């Protein structure tokens, strides 16, 4: 095991597993919609693609219209906000996809709200793929298929040596850490917001959402966040781009009511649960890091605990190593399990099971003029960025195009 850099550790990701997988000296990956593509795999094995659009209504119709949304340059929350305005209805989705990708995913909307079979919304394309009496909800996926482009750092790189490393990947398990995008790729603060909510620190949560600028953001957004922290809500609202829906909603509410709790309530339960879920993800990552310290080997850990319980309001602690570690982490955070039940917000983050490790399926590589394309499938909830960090030891800066120091 190799100790991870401070940024990873701040997200509970303490280690790299494999020293012999490191390729960061010879290949690089700059994440973008061109180099990182992801397609959801539905419960029936279908793959989300605009090629599956249907242009004739079938004879029988269900209560819900099932849709495929392909997007680039927007995260799922931003894209769903756009779609909601177009269809004027609540939109249900199976999974979250970040902005720095081209992604196709499944949605559902009440049948009587759809007025067209195909929507071209610029960076969002939306089409009907079927009908049903069930609604597509979070987690209604088998997994995701990924296509990732790697560039060679030099024309002198021995491609054969790179391929030799890649060919060892299908036989390995990786720690099932929650990836960077679960916490925010430019401003990794969603788990900090969740922690503030669990601790009933409403003002801190609001500040983290709409204030707390990152140097990686645009000058306009940094200025908006600074004005928000100064209490100049009207000025901040004018500066926040329309795409920052959450920040604008918080700012408008603070301008109107001047009350932190009311501002948080204006987000609705879906977003509140997203922040709570990010904090649960952070705690899970810390548990997983502590467990790999204990077992030293991912296969030993997986045999002892094929699944782990993500901390939540109804978590049952047992007399074993995992429960002891969970209890120590929760105590170190200064919280209790019952704190995940937040009556003030009408929210509760319950415990659930998550696999401790994953193995990529169908892993293949295709040489390209600049390097290679990787293709693989991961189970629902597992992150390609966790596999890539083992290859690149890069973390967020390299994913955003800033050179990182290798170990």
């Amino acid at each position: 095991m190799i100790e991870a850099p401070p940024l990873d550790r701040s997200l509970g990701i303490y280690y790299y597993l494999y020293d012999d997988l490191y390729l960061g000296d010879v290949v690089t990956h700059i994440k973008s919609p061109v180099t990182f593509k992801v397609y959801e795999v539905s419960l029936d094995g279908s793959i989300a693609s605009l090629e599956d659009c249907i242009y004739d209504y079938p004879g029988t119709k269900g209560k819900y219209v099932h849709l495929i949304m392909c997007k680039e340059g927007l995260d799922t929350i931003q894209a769903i906000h756009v779609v909601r305005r177009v269809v004027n209805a609540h939109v249900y989705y199976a999974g979250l996809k970040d902005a720095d990708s081209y992604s196709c995913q499944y949605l559902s909307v009440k049948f009587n709200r759809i007025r067209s079979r195909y929507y071209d919304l610029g960076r969002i394309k939306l089409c009907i793929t079927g009908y049903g009496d069930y609604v597509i909800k979070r987690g209604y996926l088998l997994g995701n298929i990924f296509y990732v482009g790697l560039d060679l750092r030099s024309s002198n790189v021995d491609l054969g040596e790179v391929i030799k490393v890649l060919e060892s990947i299908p036989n390995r398990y990786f720690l099932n850490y929650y990836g960077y995008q679960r916490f925010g790729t430019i401003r990794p603060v969603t788990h900090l917001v969740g922690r503030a909510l669990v601790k009933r620190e409403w003002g801190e949560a609001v500040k983290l959402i709409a204030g707390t600028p990152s140097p990686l953001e645009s000058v306009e957004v940094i200025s908006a966040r600074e004005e928000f922290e100064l209490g100049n809500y009207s000025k901040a609202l004018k500066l926040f781009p329309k795409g920052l829906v959450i920040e604008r909603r918080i700012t408008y509410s603070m301008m109107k009511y001047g009350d932190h709790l009311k501002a948080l309530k204006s987000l609705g339960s879906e977003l509140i649960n997203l922040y709570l879920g990010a904090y649960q993800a952070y705690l899970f990552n810390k548990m997983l890091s502590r467990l790999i310290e204990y077992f030293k080997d991912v296969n030993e850990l997986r045999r002892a605990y094929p699944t782990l319980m993500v901390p939540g309001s109804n978590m049952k602690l047992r007399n074993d190593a995992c429960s002891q570690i969970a209890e120590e982490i929760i105590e170190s955070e200064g919280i209790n399990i019952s704190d995940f039940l937040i009556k003030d917000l009408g929210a509760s983050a319950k415990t659930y099971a998550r696999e401790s490790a994953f193995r990529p399926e169908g892993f293949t590589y295709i040489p390209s003029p600049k390097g290679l394309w990787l293709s693989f499938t991961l189970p629902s909830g597992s992150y390609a960025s966790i596999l890539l960090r083992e290859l690149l030891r890069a973390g967020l800066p390299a994913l955003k195009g800033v050179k990182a120091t290798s170990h």
Side-chain angles (χ1 to χ4, degrees):
M1 295 188 304
I2 305 158
E3 189 169 317
L7 179 58
D8 285 33
R9 293 181 67 86
S10 73
L11 304 177
I13 305 171
Y14 289 2
Y15 298 104
Y16 301 104
L17 279 181
Y18 301 110
D19 190 30
D20 61 332
L21 283 188
Y22 177 56
L23 291 173
D25 287 338
V26 294
V27 301
T28 184
H29 170 68
I30 306 301
K31 191 176 181 184
S32 75
V34 175
T35 62
F36 193 95
K37 302 180 181 184
V38 54
Y39 303 85
E40 288 185 346
V41 182
S42 70
L43 292 176
D44 65 4
S46 300
I47 300 170
S49 168
L50 293 178
E51 295 177 359
D52 289 339
C53 299
I54 60 175
Y55 297 99
D56 293 314
Y57 287 116
T60 59
K61 304 178 180 67
K63 185 178 179 181
Y64 295 94
V65 179
H66 293 171
L67 306 153
I68 288 175
M69 176 179 71
C70 293
K71 63 175 183 63
E72 57 180 278
L74 295 168
D75 64 34
T76 298
I77 298 299
Q78 291 173 316
I80 293 297
H81 178 75
V82 173
V83 174
R84 280 177 179 164
R85 285 190 299 175
V86 171
V87 303
N88 193 28
H90 188 78
V91 179
Y92 303 88
Y93 56 92
L96 291 171
K97 305 292 179 287
D98 64 15
D100 295 323
S101 68
Y102 175 82
S103 59
C104 292
Q105 59 189 115
Y106 290 101
L107 313 176
S108 60
V109 177
K110 283 190 175 181
F111 178 82
N112 61 359
R113 292 294 183 173
I114 294 295
R115 298 289 179 262
S116 176
R117 298 178 182 91
Y118 181 82
Y119 295 84
D120 186 339
L121 307 175
R123 289 184 288 173
I124 301 169
K125 306 295 187 290
L126 189 70
C127 71
I128 295 175
T129 187
Y131 304 83
D133 289 321
Y134 67 94
V135 63
I136 293 172
K137 294 182 179 179
R138 292 290 301 276
Y140 277 31
L141 293 175
L142 286 180
N144 295 278
I145 297 176
F146 296 90
Y147 296 91
V148 180
L150 301 180
D151 289 340
L152 299 179
R153 289 190 181 274
S154 165
S155 59
N156 297 323
V157 171
D158 185 344
L159 193 58
E161 290 299 313
V162 174
I163 289 173
K164 184 178 179 181
V165 171
L166 296 178
E167 286 179 339
S168 72
I169 288 177
N171 299 319
R172 306 195 192 215
Y173 279 92
F174 297 82
L175 292 173
N176 201 21
Y177 283 128
Y178 284 91
Y180 305 111
Q181 58 267 44
R182 190 65 183 88
F183 309 101
T185 50
I186 294 178
R187 270 192 342 131
V189 300
T190 57
H191 62 303
L192 302 179
V193 176
R195 175 194 281 159
L197 296 176
V198 168
K199 291 189 171 187
R200 279 63 172 173
E201 296 172 350
W202 315 131
E204 178 67 11
V206 166
K207 179 182 176 182
L208 285 164
I209 293 170
T212 322
S214 163
L216 295 177
E217 295 179 295
S218 69
V219 173
E220 182 184 27
V221 172
I222 290 173
S223 297
R225 295 192 188 282
E226 289 174 344
E227 293 296 341
F228 182 90
E229 289 192 347
L230 291 171
N232 300 328
Y233 303 126
S234 179
K235 192 170 183 179
L237 190 61
K238 291 178 182 177
L239 288 170
F240 273 125
K242 290 184 178 180
L244 295 185
V245 178
I246 299 172
E247 285 86 345
R248 289 179 62 85
R249 194 179 300 176
I250 283 283
T251 303
Y252 176 78
S253 184
M254 287 300 298
M255 184 174 66
K256 186 174 181 180
Y257 301 110
D259 184 279
H260 295 121
L261 184 56
K262 284 184 178 180
L264 292 169
K265 287 181 176 179
S266 74
L267 296 179
S269 60
E270 185 177 344
L271 287 174
I272 293 296
N273 288 332
L274 185 147
Y275 290 123
L276 293 176
Y279 185 46
Q280 289 179 285
Y282 164 74
L283 296 176
F284 178 88
N285 281 357
K286 289 187 71 173
M287 284 175 54
L288 200 52
S289 292
R290 290 282 303 278
L291 282 167
I292 196 62
E293 288 174 356
Y294 181 85
F295 285 100
K296 309 297 183 186
D297 179 85
V298 65
N299 293 304
E300 290 297 322
L301 189 161
R302 188 176 61 86
R303 279 191 282 269
Y305 295 103
T307 60
L308 300 170
M309 299 309 294
V310 179
S313 61
N314 56 337
M315 186 177 188
K316 299 284 194 294
L317 296 175
R318 298 178 175 85
N319 186 26
D320 61 4
C322 183
S323 290
Q324 181 180 344
I325 287 171
E327 192 171 14
E328 289 173 359
I329 289 171
I330 290 166
E331 184 177 339
S332 71
E333 290 285 306
I335 61 171
N336 297 307
I337 288 295
S338 59
D339 292 336
F340 283 98
L341 177 61
I342 309 175
K343 293 182 179 179
D344 292 299
L345 293 171
S348 175
K350 295 184 178 181
T351 192
Y352 58 93
R354 178 176 172 84
E355 292 185 352
S356 59
F358 69 84
R359 185 169 63 181
E361 299 292 336
F363 187 93
T364 59
Y365 57 87
I366 302 172
S368 69
K370 291 185 177 181
L372 304 103
W373 276 93
L374 309 182
S375 173
F376 51 91
T377 301
L378 297 183
S380 178
S382 295
Y383 289 78
S385 57
I386 296 303
L387 189 157
L388 290 175
R389 69 183 288 276
E390 290 283 349
L391 297 178
L392 305 173
R393 293 197 204 158
L396 291 178
L399 293 177
K400 298 304 295 181
V402 179
K403 186 176 180 181
T405 303
S406 61
H407 296 262

